[in-house]
Structure formats: C-alpha cells, structure tokens
C-alpha cells in the first residue's frame, strides 16, 4: 500500500466496530423510541381488553401480566424512557446550537445521568421482583 493511503472498508457505516459516539447515541435513541412505541401498543391492547371481555377479560389480562417476566419488562421500559428522555434534552440543546462541538461529552453526561436515575429507580423494581413467589 502506498504511503498516505488507507484501505477502503466496504460498508463501514454498517459495522458497529467503526461507530463513533454520535452513531451510538443515534442507535440507542431509536431503539429506545421503538421500545416505548411497542409498550404503548401493548398498553392499548391491555386496556382495550375491557371491551373484548368485560371486567373478567380485563382481570384475566392483568393476571397474565403479573409475572416476574413483566416486571423485568417494566424495568427495561424504565431504562428506555430514562435514556430516551435525557437524550432528547441533549438533542434539543443540540438543535439550539448548544454543545454542538461537545457532542461526545454531552452523550457521556446523558449516559451517566441515565445510569444514576436507573440505579436509584431500580430499587423499586427489585422490591417488586422479589415480592413475587418463586413458583410463578
């Protein structure tokens, strides 16, 4: 290879090995947004179980959702909402031309704040998870 030339990578934007902070932020924001939309659709389905089966149908749906797996799902939703909302504020500041040159530092600040909020909020989910009998 001649001096000063680099190998051309095929589709480097599709290989996570080459992602920078901005791309990870973009991906995490989109993934958390999709997770929130999926939750919203599931929540609509859960609430409309009243129209499908009356009070008995709603109670049956709620009983089916009272499992440890759904507590873990609620915790994952909490992670998604926390990161998505804090990163959304970062994006608003970015749109206002604040911190454009410090995108990497802002991302890690959002990530650290998200971690603090998640650690504080996880206590509730851990208590709820441990409250369920192990036989379920």
């Amino acid at each position: 290879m001649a001096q000063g030339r680099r190998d051309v990578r095929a589709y480097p934007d599709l290989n996570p090995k080459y992602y920078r902070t901005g791309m990870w932020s973009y991906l995490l924001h989109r993934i958390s947004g999709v997770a929130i939309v999926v939750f919203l659709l599931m929540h609509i389905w859960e609430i409309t179980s009243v129209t499908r089966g009356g009070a008995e149908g709603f109670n049956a749906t709620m009983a089916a959702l009272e499992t440890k797996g759904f507590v873990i799902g609620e915790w994952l939703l909490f992670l998604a909402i926390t990161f998505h909302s804090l990163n959304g504020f970062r994006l608003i500041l970015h749109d206002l031309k604040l911190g454009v040159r410090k995108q990497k530092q802002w991302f890690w600040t959002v990530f650290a704040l998200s971690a603090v909020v998640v650690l504080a909020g996880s206590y509730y989910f851990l208590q709820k998870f441990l409250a369920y009998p192990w036989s379920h």
Side-chain angles (χ1 to χ4, degrees), residues 69-106:
F70 278 97
V71 173
I72 294 170
E74 288 175 342
W75 182 73
L76 291 172
L77 176 67
F78 175 61
L79 264 73
I81 290 172
T82 300
F83 176 78
H84 194 82
S85 60
L86 291 174
N87 195 52
F89 286 123
R90 182 189 71 83
L91 292 173
I92 290 169
L93 292 175
H94 186 76
D95 288 344
L96 295 172
K97 308 286 188 238
L98 301 171
V100 173
R101 302 261 185 239
K102 297 184 180 212
Q103 189 173 172
K104 191 174 193 176
Q105 291 89 344
W106 276 102

Side-chain angles (χ1 to χ4, degrees), residues 12-31:
D13 54 335
L14 299 178
N15 188 343
K17 183 169 115 177
Y18 301 111
Y19 289 178
R20 292 191 177 170
T21 310
M23 186 62 175
W24 283 112
S25 174
Y26 172 83
L27 280 175
L28 290 172
H29 197 75
R30 296 309 181 261
I31 290 168

